Amino acid sequence: MGVSPGIGHGPAYVLTVSVPEPPEGATFTGEADQEKERAMAALTQVAGELEARGNRAGGEAEEILKAQALMAEDPGLVVKVRTLIDRGLAAPRAVFEAFTKYRDVLAGSGGYLGERAADLNDIRDRVIALLYGQVMPGLPARAAEPYVLVARDLAPADTALLSKSQVAAFVTEEGGPTSHTAILARAMGVPAVVACPGATRIPPGVRVMADGTSGDVRVEPAESDVADAVSADTARLSALASARGPGRTADGHPVPLLANVGGPAELHAAVAAEAEGIGLYRTEFLFLDRAEPPSTEEQVRAYRAAVEAFPGGKVVVRTLDSGADKPLAFLPAAAEPNPALGERGLRRFKRFPEVMEAQLAALAAVGAEELHVMAPMVATAEEAGWFARECRAKGLRHAGVMIEIPAAALRARDLLAQVDFLSIGTNDLAQYAFAADRQLGVMSPLQDPWQPALLDLVAMAANAASRAGKPCGICGESAADPALACVLVGLGADTLSMGAAALPAVRAGLAAHTLTQCRLAADAARAQRTAAEARVAARARLPELGRLGL
Ligand code: PEP
Ligand code: MG
């Protein structure tokens, strides 16, 4: 998976860190108080080192490392370590067990929080290494030429002090788009590929080329292939740099380009990428790690920050989408055999109406005309009507629903009679149209947003919206693919919303094609039988994409 675009090539530097697991049941000799002091001293020292590295690194790395330093001295973890030592465990084993338990809880929550689990492993290993008097392997300070850094996973502490002059690319076996390897690589402008199994078996020193856009990693590439990839990348960069301003097609048809965000920290990147507003505010990410419902003041602050970041721009906030892949502790789930088909999204508010009311009240308190509010996981017109009435009762003027369930796409007309706008979530629409769990890697071919059946459902909903004279946006990952973005516009999407990183490429692709070309590409894609054929047929009608290196 490419997570930081660009081509990087150079000799492989393979980082193999292994701090041994302290033996199960390992005990200590001497006093428990002394053992506890030893553990506390190691935690404090690691926190101090992380903080010092952060100060030297500055920028985004500083924030991340300071957060890690806080984690190292988290009061809950400290108490756990002390308790385990009181029960007779040696300091390294106590640290191992306390951190591992906490890590498993984080990993179980998936998504952004799940990817923080790697941070805890790194802190744990540093503390254990210190307790054993072991030196953590570092990175070469100076190399003859920039290297491709290959590792199982990279911790911010490893990478924070690196620069573009040392590292040509990152390749890791673990990690996802929101892992710190990805975040820091993007901040440094270094290409990165994550989730690349077997990468650490690349022999050290062998030449490697990593494509942070496509996710391709090549070992010993031909020199001509490197030259071709670099020149395509240069073309892509200059195309991206020259596409500015509001989204529109080559013939001037406006397509507002909006950003998907999960919290205030992501607003900055959205503004920097010239998003014209927010197309999907995933509010559940604000409150994932909480046992109590968020307070009204806290919510108002978060939503107001989004409105203030985009003066006059549209801001679409989605009410809490709890359940399945996004568990929220304060909205406990019933035991369900198929949580993705269970009490998820809007359905859960039937059992917890006070939580929805509180969220809508907080949104209303922001009092902004640009604020649009929509519900996830809506299946029927009755549900849409219920949600819209609740919004209006609070004085919210723009109430919409997401189209994520095939039934909703099929009867979009009925839903539109109840609400003011639609937003198509192609991630879940694909999951439910193909009965293919979006969390299962083996199902990913069925999750392919180029599937003609998915395009048909999008067309159906967009056409219904156009007939009703109401707007229809797209906010699934599909909008982040420059070719598919043109197709979605051809299918009738009025706005496109995506992760901020994808905005420049989508803006450039759209600006290079007319609305008619987008429509012809959409027709060509829908005329095919497979996702692969749909993609090829559409791209053949969007000739500028190849020239732009997109
Ligand atoms: C979607 O399902 O396409 C969507 C945008 O929502 P999420 O990915 O948050 O479920
Ligand atoms: Mg969804």
Side-chain angles (χ1 to χ4, degrees), residues 290-330:
R290 305 269 293 263
E292 294 291 318
S295 73
T296 306
E297 300 73 48
E298 229 181 326
Q299 294 198 58
V300 172
R301 235 179 295 133
Y303 308 144
R304 185 165 286 146
V307 171
E308 284 172 357
F310 294 96
K314 188 187 233 184
V315 172
V316 186
V317 176
R318 173 173 79 186
T319 53
L320 296 167
D321 183 15
S322 157
D325 57 330
K326 309 181 194 88
L328 285 182
F330 59 86

mmCIF file of all heavy atoms in Angstrom, residues 290-330:
data_model
loop_
_atom_site.group_PDB
_atom_site.id
_atom_site.type_symbol
_atom_site.label_atom_id
_atom_site.label_comp_id
_atom_site.label_asym_id
_atom_site.label_seq_id
_atom_site.Cartn_x
_atom_site.Cartn_y
_atom_site.Cartn_z
ATOM 1 N N ARG A 290 -13.220 6.677 24.605
ATOM 2 C CA ARG A 290 -13.860 7.237 25.781
ATOM 3 C C ARG A 290 -14.906 6.313 26.386
ATOM 4 O O ARG A 290 -15.632 5.649 25.660
ATOM 5 C CB ARG A 290 -14.550 8.537 25.369
ATOM 6 C CG ARG A 290 -13.613 9.516 24.693
ATOM 7 C CD ARG A 290 -13.037 10.401 25.711
ATOM 8 N NE ARG A 290 -14.128 11.183 26.192
ATOM 9 C CZ ARG A 290 -14.394 12.403 25.733
ATOM 10 N NH1 ARG A 290 -13.611 12.967 24.865
ATOM 11 N NH2 ARG A 290 -15.430 13.058 26.179
ATOM 12 N N ALA A 291 -14.970 6.308 27.701
ATOM 13 C CA ALA A 291 -15.976 5.482 28.369
ATOM 14 C C ALA A 291 -17.260 6.282 28.592
ATOM 15 O O ALA A 291 -18.323 5.722 28.804
ATOM 16 C CB ALA A 291 -15.436 4.981 29.698
ATOM 17 N N GLU A 292 -17.146 7.618 28.537
ATOM 18 C CA GLU A 292 -18.301 8.492 28.799
ATOM 19 C C GLU A 292 -18.678 9.204 27.508
ATOM 20 O O GLU A 292 -17.800 9.532 26.705
ATOM 21 C CB GLU A 292 -17.883 9.595 29.794
ATOM 22 C CG GLU A 292 -17.532 9.096 31.162
ATOM 23 C CD GLU A 292 -18.744 8.581 31.898
ATOM 24 O OE1 GLU A 292 -19.792 9.243 31.812
ATOM 25 O OE2 GLU A 292 -18.651 7.509 32.521
ATOM 26 N N PRO A 293 -19.950 9.505 27.323
ATOM 27 C CA PRO A 293 -20.303 10.304 26.139
ATOM 28 C C PRO A 293 -19.599 11.660 26.207
ATOM 29 O O PRO A 293 -19.398 12.191 27.300
ATOM 30 C CB PRO A 293 -21.815 10.480 26.252
ATOM 31 C CG PRO A 293 -22.273 9.523 27.279
ATOM 32 C CD PRO A 293 -21.112 9.185 28.154
ATOM 33 N N PRO A 294 -19.237 12.208 25.058
ATOM 34 C CA PRO A 294 -18.553 13.511 25.060
ATOM 35 C C PRO A 294 -19.488 14.620 25.532
ATOM 36 O O PRO A 294 -20.691 14.554 25.297
ATOM 37 C CB PRO A 294 -18.207 13.712 23.587
ATOM 38 C CG PRO A 294 -19.158 12.831 22.843
ATOM 39 C CD PRO A 294 -19.451 11.675 23.718
ATOM 40 N N SER A 295 -18.934 15.628 26.170
ATOM 41 C CA SER A 295 -19.775 16.725 26.665
ATOM 42 C C SER A 295 -20.187 17.624 25.498
ATOM 43 O O SER A 295 -19.535 17.643 24.450
ATOM 44 C CB SER A 295 -19.011 17.554 27.688
ATOM 45 O OG SER A 295 -18.035 18.319 27.022
ATOM 46 N N THR A 296 -21.262 18.362 25.707
ATOM 47 C CA THR A 296 -21.742 19.266 24.657
ATOM 48 C C THR A 296 -20.667 20.290 24.299
ATOM 49 O O THR A 296 -20.398 20.535 23.132
ATOM 50 C CB THR A 296 -23.011 20.010 25.149
ATOM 51 O OG1 THR A 296 -23.939 19.023 25.562
ATOM 52 C CG2 THR A 296 -23.625 20.859 24.066
ATOM 53 N N GLU A 297 -20.026 20.868 25.344
ATOM 54 C CA GLU A 297 -19.029 21.923 25.078
ATOM 55 C C GLU A 297 -17.902 21.389 24.204
ATOM 56 O O GLU A 297 -17.455 22.051 23.265
ATOM 57 C CB GLU A 297 -18.404 22.451 26.393
ATOM 58 C CG GLU A 297 -19.372 23.056 27.382
ATOM 59 C CD GLU A 297 -20.233 22.001 28.069
ATOM 60 O OE1 GLU A 297 -19.662 21.005 28.539
ATOM 61 O OE2 GLU A 297 -21.469 22.134 28.096
ATOM 62 N N GLU A 298 -17.467 20.174 24.503
ATOM 63 C CA GLU A 298 -16.383 19.578 23.735
ATOM 64 C C GLU A 298 -16.769 19.398 22.276
ATOM 65 O O GLU A 298 -16.005 19.686 21.360
ATOM 66 C CB GLU A 298 -16.141 18.191 24.326
ATOM 67 C CG GLU A 298 -14.722 17.900 24.624
ATOM 68 C CD GLU A 298 -14.617 16.493 25.166
ATOM 69 O OE1 GLU A 298 -15.541 16.046 25.873
ATOM 70 O OE2 GLU A 298 -13.610 15.866 24.856
ATOM 71 N N GLN A 299 -18.014 18.922 22.097
ATOM 72 C CA GLN A 299 -18.481 18.710 20.728
ATOM 73 C C GLN A 299 -18.592 20.041 19.995
ATOM 74 O O GLN A 299 -18.141 20.166 18.860
ATOM 75 C CB GLN A 299 -19.838 18.022 20.735
ATOM 76 C CG GLN A 299 -19.795 16.622 21.275
ATOM 77 C CD GLN A 299 -21.051 15.843 20.865
ATOM 78 O OE1 GLN A 299 -21.346 15.701 19.686
ATOM 79 N NE2 GLN A 299 -21.777 15.348 21.831
ATOM 80 N N VAL A 300 -19.174 21.031 20.666
ATOM 81 C CA VAL A 300 -19.347 22.329 20.008
ATOM 82 C C VAL A 300 -17.983 22.854 19.562
ATOM 83 O O VAL A 300 -17.813 23.336 18.439
ATOM 84 C CB VAL A 300 -20.053 23.337 20.950
ATOM 85 C CG1 VAL A 300 -20.057 24.728 20.343
ATOM 86 C CG2 VAL A 300 -21.467 22.886 21.243
ATOM 87 N N ARG A 301 -16.991 22.701 20.441
ATOM 88 C CA ARG A 301 -15.652 23.196 20.115
ATOM 89 C C ARG A 301 -15.111 22.512 18.845
ATOM 90 O O ARG A 301 -14.605 23.158 17.943
ATOM 91 C CB ARG A 301 -14.701 22.919 21.277
ATOM 92 C CG ARG A 301 -14.006 24.170 21.754
ATOM 93 C CD ARG A 301 -13.088 23.883 22.915
ATOM 94 N NE ARG A 301 -13.797 23.451 24.090
ATOM 95 C CZ ARG A 301 -13.498 22.403 24.864
ATOM 96 N NH1 ARG A 301 -12.467 21.669 24.594
ATOM 97 N NH2 ARG A 301 -14.203 22.069 25.915
ATOM 98 N N ALA A 302 -15.269 21.199 18.790
ATOM 99 C CA ALA A 302 -14.738 20.450 17.642
ATOM 100 C C ALA A 302 -15.453 20.853 16.351
ATOM 101 O O ALA A 302 -14.807 21.081 15.322
ATOM 102 C CB ALA A 302 -14.890 18.955 17.886
ATOM 103 N N TYR A 303 -16.782 20.956 16.393
ATOM 104 C CA TYR A 303 -17.517 21.271 15.161
ATOM 105 C C TYR A 303 -17.278 22.729 14.747
ATOM 106 O O TYR A 303 -17.174 23.038 13.571
ATOM 107 C CB TYR A 303 -19.022 21.002 15.335
ATOM 108 C CG TYR A 303 -19.317 19.618 15.873
ATOM 109 C CD1 TYR A 303 -20.369 19.382 16.762
ATOM 110 C CD2 TYR A 303 -18.518 18.529 15.514
ATOM 111 C CE1 TYR A 303 -20.623 18.116 17.266
ATOM 112 C CE2 TYR A 303 -18.765 17.261 16.019
ATOM 113 C CZ TYR A 303 -19.812 17.066 16.903
ATOM 114 O OH TYR A 303 -20.059 15.829 17.417
ATOM 115 N N ARG A 304 -17.174 23.594 15.763
ATOM 116 C CA ARG A 304 -16.943 25.001 15.436
ATOM 117 C C ARG A 304 -15.575 25.162 14.750
ATOM 118 O O ARG A 304 -15.441 25.924 13.801
ATOM 119 C CB ARG A 304 -17.035 25.859 16.696
ATOM 120 C CG ARG A 304 -16.922 27.319 16.411
ATOM 121 C CD ARG A 304 -17.374 28.183 17.560
ATOM 122 N NE ARG A 304 -18.820 28.208 17.729
ATOM 123 C CZ ARG A 304 -19.431 28.300 18.902
ATOM 124 N NH1 ARG A 304 -18.717 28.373 20.012
ATOM 125 N NH2 ARG A 304 -20.742 28.330 18.978
ATOM 126 N N ALA A 305 -14.596 24.417 15.218
ATOM 127 C CA ALA A 305 -13.256 24.510 14.606
ATOM 128 C C ALA A 305 -13.323 24.155 13.121
ATOM 129 O O ALA A 305 -12.645 24.772 12.289
ATOM 130 C CB ALA A 305 -12.280 23.577 15.326
ATOM 131 N N ALA A 306 -14.166 23.191 12.776
ATOM 132 C CA ALA A 306 -14.273 22.780 11.369
ATOM 133 C C ALA A 306 -14.912 23.903 10.548
ATOM 134 O O ALA A 306 -14.452 24.225 9.449
ATOM 135 C CB ALA A 306 -15.103 21.510 11.262
ATOM 136 N N VAL A 307 -15.969 24.508 11.101
ATOM 137 C CA VAL A 307 -16.643 25.587 10.378
ATOM 138 C C VAL A 307 -15.691 26.773 10.213
ATOM 139 O O VAL A 307 -15.604 27.394 9.149
ATOM 140 C CB VAL A 307 -17.930 26.004 11.129
ATOM 141 C CG1 VAL A 307 -18.528 27.258 10.528
ATOM 142 C CG2 VAL A 307 -18.945 24.868 11.103
ATOM 143 N N GLU A 308 -14.927 27.057 11.286
ATOM 144 C CA GLU A 308 -14.016 28.214 11.223
ATOM 145 C C GLU A 308 -12.846 27.975 10.271
ATOM 146 O O GLU A 308 -12.296 28.921 9.723
ATOM 147 C CB GLU A 308 -13.510 28.540 12.626
ATOM 148 C CG GLU A 308 -14.603 29.237 13.428
ATOM 149 C CD GLU A 308 -14.264 29.435 14.903
ATOM 150 O OE1 GLU A 308 -13.178 28.978 15.347
ATOM 151 O OE2 GLU A 308 -15.090 30.025 15.604
ATOM 152 N N ALA A 309 -12.483 26.702 10.085
ATOM 153 C CA ALA A 309 -11.357 26.412 9.178
ATOM 154 C C ALA A 309 -11.748 26.680 7.723
ATOM 155 O O ALA A 309 -10.886 26.892 6.874
ATOM 156 C CB ALA A 309 -10.913 24.962 9.349
ATOM 157 N N PHE A 310 -13.063 26.657 7.439
ATOM 158 C CA PHE A 310 -13.511 26.850 6.050
ATOM 159 C C PHE A 310 -14.585 27.930 5.982
ATOM 160 O O PHE A 310 -15.764 27.631 5.768
ATOM 161 C CB PHE A 310 -14.052 25.524 5.494
ATOM 162 C CG PHE A 310 -12.977 24.491 5.362
ATOM 163 C CD1 PHE A 310 -12.777 23.555 6.352
ATOM 164 C CD2 PHE A 310 -12.133 24.495 4.266
ATOM 165 C CE1 PHE A 310 -11.760 22.631 6.253
ATOM 166 C CE2 PHE A 310 -11.114 23.578 4.151
ATOM 167 C CZ PHE A 310 -10.918 22.644 5.144
ATOM 168 N N PRO A 311 -14.197 29.179 6.153
ATOM 169 C CA PRO A 311 -15.210 30.238 6.166
ATOM 170 C C PRO A 311 -16.036 30.198 4.872
ATOM 171 O O PRO A 311 -15.468 30.183 3.778
ATOM 172 C CB PRO A 311 -14.385 31.526 6.246
ATOM 173 C CG PRO A 311 -12.997 31.104 6.629
ATOM 174 C CD PRO A 311 -12.828 29.678 6.240
ATOM 175 N N GLY A 312 -17.333 30.104 5.028
ATOM 176 C CA GLY A 312 -18.219 30.094 3.858
ATOM 177 C C GLY A 312 -18.272 28.752 3.138
ATOM 178 O O GLY A 312 -19.074 28.566 2.220
ATOM 179 N N GLY A 313 -17.423 27.802 3.513
ATOM 180 C CA GLY A 313 -17.404 26.492 2.831
ATOM 181 C C GLY A 313 -18.385 25.544 3.491
ATOM 182 O O GLY A 313 -18.780 25.717 4.638
ATOM 183 N N LYS A 314 -18.776 24.522 2.717
ATOM 184 C CA LYS A 314 -19.717 23.534 3.242
ATOM 185 C C LYS A 314 -18.997 22.639 4.256
ATOM 186 O O LYS A 314 -17.853 22.252 4.029
ATOM 187 C CB LYS A 314 -20.159 22.706 2.047
ATOM 188 C CG LYS A 314 -21.273 21.745 2.305
ATOM 189 C CD LYS A 314 -21.463 20.880 1.062
ATOM 190 C CE LYS A 314 -22.883 20.887 0.596
ATOM 191 N NZ LYS A 314 -23.132 20.000 -0.531
ATOM 192 N N VAL A 315 -19.656 22.326 5.366
ATOM 193 C CA VAL A 315 -19.076 21.379 6.337
ATOM 194 C C VAL A 315 -20.138 20.316 6.635
ATOM 195 O O VAL A 315 -21.200 20.638 7.167
ATOM 196 C CB VAL A 315 -18.635 22.095 7.629
ATOM 197 C CG1 VAL A 315 -18.228 21.083 8.696
ATOM 198 C CG2 VAL A 315 -17.473 23.050 7.338
ATOM 199 N N VAL A 316 -19.871 19.087 6.222
ATOM 200 C CA VAL A 316 -20.841 18.007 6.408
ATOM 201 C C VAL A 316 -20.387 17.131 7.571
ATOM 202 O O VAL A 316 -19.346 16.472 7.497
ATOM 203 C CB VAL A 316 -20.971 17.139 5.133
ATOM 204 C CG1 VAL A 316 -22.099 16.121 5.317
ATOM 205 C CG2 VAL A 316 -21.209 17.999 3.901
ATOM 206 N N VAL A 317 -21.166 17.165 8.642
ATOM 207 C CA VAL A 317 -20.817 16.389 9.830
ATOM 208 C C VAL A 317 -21.707 15.144 9.869
ATOM 209 O O VAL A 317 -22.919 15.246 9.692
ATOM 210 C CB VAL A 317 -21.026 17.231 11.109
ATOM 211 C CG1 VAL A 317 -20.749 16.402 12.351
ATOM 212 C CG2 VAL A 317 -20.117 18.458 11.078
ATOM 213 N N ARG A 318 -21.076 14.014 10.070
ATOM 214 C CA ARG A 318 -21.849 12.777 10.177
ATOM 215 C C ARG A 318 -22.062 12.449 11.649
ATOM 216 O O ARG A 318 -21.108 12.493 12.437
ATOM 217 C CB ARG A 318 -21.075 11.639 9.502
ATOM 218 C CG ARG A 318 -21.742 10.299 9.739
ATOM 219 C CD ARG A 318 -21.089 9.220 8.944
ATOM 220 N NE ARG A 318 -19.850 8.770 9.576
ATOM 221 C CZ ARG A 318 -19.025 7.894 9.011
ATOM 222 N NH1 ARG A 318 -19.281 7.437 7.813
ATOM 223 N NH2 ARG A 318 -17.948 7.501 9.623
ATOM 224 N N THR A 319 -23.277 12.122 12.021
ATOM 225 C CA THR A 319 -23.517 11.719 13.411
ATOM 226 C C THR A 319 -22.786 10.406 13.667
ATOM 227 O O THR A 319 -22.426 9.691 12.730
ATOM 228 C CB THR A 319 -25.029 11.571 13.696
ATOM 229 O OG1 THR A 319 -25.579 10.706 12.713
ATOM 230 C CG2 THR A 319 -25.723 12.918 13.657
ATOM 231 N N LEU A 320 -22.592 10.109 14.934
ATOM 232 C CA LEU A 320 -21.752 8.974 15.332
ATOM 233 C C LEU A 320 -22.091 7.693 14.568
ATOM 234 O O LEU A 320 -23.231 7.238 14.569
ATOM 235 C CB LEU A 320 -21.922 8.716 16.832
ATOM 236 C CG LEU A 320 -21.446 9.849 17.746
ATOM 237 C CD1 LEU A 320 -21.945 9.623 19.161
ATOM 238 C CD2 LEU A 320 -19.927 9.928 17.708
ATOM 239 N N ASP A 321 -21.077 7.121 13.925
ATOM 240 C CA ASP A 321 -21.259 5.850 13.223
ATOM 241 C C ASP A 321 -20.619 4.778 14.095
ATOM 242 O O ASP A 321 -19.471 4.401 13.898
ATOM 243 C CB ASP A 321 -20.582 5.909 11.848
ATOM 244 C CG ASP A 321 -20.821 4.631 11.052
ATOM 245 O OD1 ASP A 321 -21.717 3.848 11.439
ATOM 246 O OD2 ASP A 321 -20.123 4.419 10.047
ATOM 247 N N SER A 322 -21.374 4.336 15.093
ATOM 248 C CA SER A 322 -20.813 3.398 16.053
ATOM 249 C C SER A 322 -21.216 1.984 15.667
ATOM 250 O O SER A 322 -22.296 1.755 15.126
ATOM 251 C CB SER A 322 -21.358 3.773 17.427
ATOM 252 O OG SER A 322 -21.315 2.677 18.278
ATOM 253 N N GLY A 323 -20.318 1.041 15.962
ATOM 254 C CA GLY A 323 -20.621 -0.366 15.704
ATOM 255 C C GLY A 323 -19.728 -0.945 14.632
ATOM 256 O O GLY A 323 -19.052 -0.213 13.921
ATOM 257 N N ALA A 324 -19.701 -2.267 14.548
ATOM 258 C CA ALA A 324 -18.878 -3.007 13.573
ATOM 259 C C ALA A 324 -17.416 -2.577 13.681
ATOM 260 O O ALA A 324 -16.795 -2.750 14.724
ATOM 261 C CB ALA A 324 -19.427 -2.852 12.173
ATOM 262 N N ASP A 325 -16.872 -1.914 12.631
ATOM 263 C CA ASP A 325 -15.448 -1.576 12.648
ATOM 264 C C ASP A 325 -15.139 -0.359 13.514
ATOM 265 O O ASP A 325 -13.983 0.016 13.651
ATOM 266 C CB ASP A 325 -14.937 -1.368 11.212
ATOM 267 C CG ASP A 325 -15.719 -0.303 10.457
ATOM 268 O OD1 ASP A 325 -16.926 -0.132 10.745
ATOM 269 O OD2 ASP A 325 -15.133 0.352 9.581
ATOM 270 N N LYS A 326 -16.168 0.301 14.060
ATOM 271 C CA LYS A 326 -15.926 1.511 14.862
ATOM 272 C C LYS A 326 -16.634 1.400 16.210
ATOM 273 O O LYS A 326 -17.662 2.044 16.429
ATOM 274 C CB LYS A 326 -16.430 2.751 14.118
ATOM 275 C CG LYS A 326 -15.935 2.863 12.676
ATOM 276 C CD LYS A 326 -16.470 4.121 12.035
ATOM 277 C CE LYS A 326 -16.315 4.125 10.528
ATOM 278 N NZ LYS A 326 -17.444 3.495 9.815
ATOM 279 N N PRO A 327 -16.130 0.571 17.115
ATOM 280 C CA PRO A 327 -16.808 0.407 18.411
ATOM 281 C C PRO A 327 -16.636 1.653 19.284
ATOM 282 O O PRO A 327 -15.575 2.255 19.297
ATOM 283 C CB PRO A 327 -16.076 -0.784 19.036
ATOM 284 C CG PRO A 327 -14.730 -0.804 18.387
ATOM 285 C CD PRO A 327 -14.882 -0.188 17.021
ATOM 286 N N LEU A 328 -17.699 2.049 19.965
ATOM 287 C CA LEU A 328 -17.611 3.172 20.902
ATOM 288 C C LEU A 328 -17.990 2.647 22.287
ATOM 289 O O LEU A 328 -19.081 2.101 22.455
ATOM 290 C CB LEU A 328 -18.588 4.280 20.503
ATOM 291 C CG LEU A 328 -18.211 5.150 19.302
ATOM 292 C CD1 LEU A 328 -19.274 6.211 19.083
ATOM 293 C CD2 LEU A 328 -16.854 5.807 19.503
ATOM 294 N N ALA A 329 -17.080 2.842 23.240
ATOM 295 C CA ALA A 329 -17.293 2.262 24.567
ATOM 296 C C ALA A 329 -18.578 2.771 25.222
ATOM 297 O O ALA A 329 -19.239 2.038 25.938
ATOM 298 C CB ALA A 329 -16.087 2.562 25.444
ATOM 299 N N PHE A 330 -18.934 4.052 24.970
ATOM 300 C CA PHE A 330 -20.109 4.579 25.660
ATOM 301 C C PHE A 330 -21.426 4.231 24.961
ATOM 302 O O PHE A 330 -22.490 4.607 25.427
ATOM 303 C CB PHE A 330 -19.987 6.092 25.916
ATOM 304 C CG PHE A 330 -19.812 6.919 24.677
ATOM 305 C CD1 PHE A 330 -20.909 7.355 23.960
ATOM 306 C CD2 PHE A 330 -18.552 7.265 24.239
ATOM 307 C CE1 PHE A 330 -20.757 8.131 22.824
ATOM 308 C CE2 PHE A 330 -18.384 8.039 23.099
ATOM 309 C CZ PHE A 330 -19.484 8.466 22.395
#
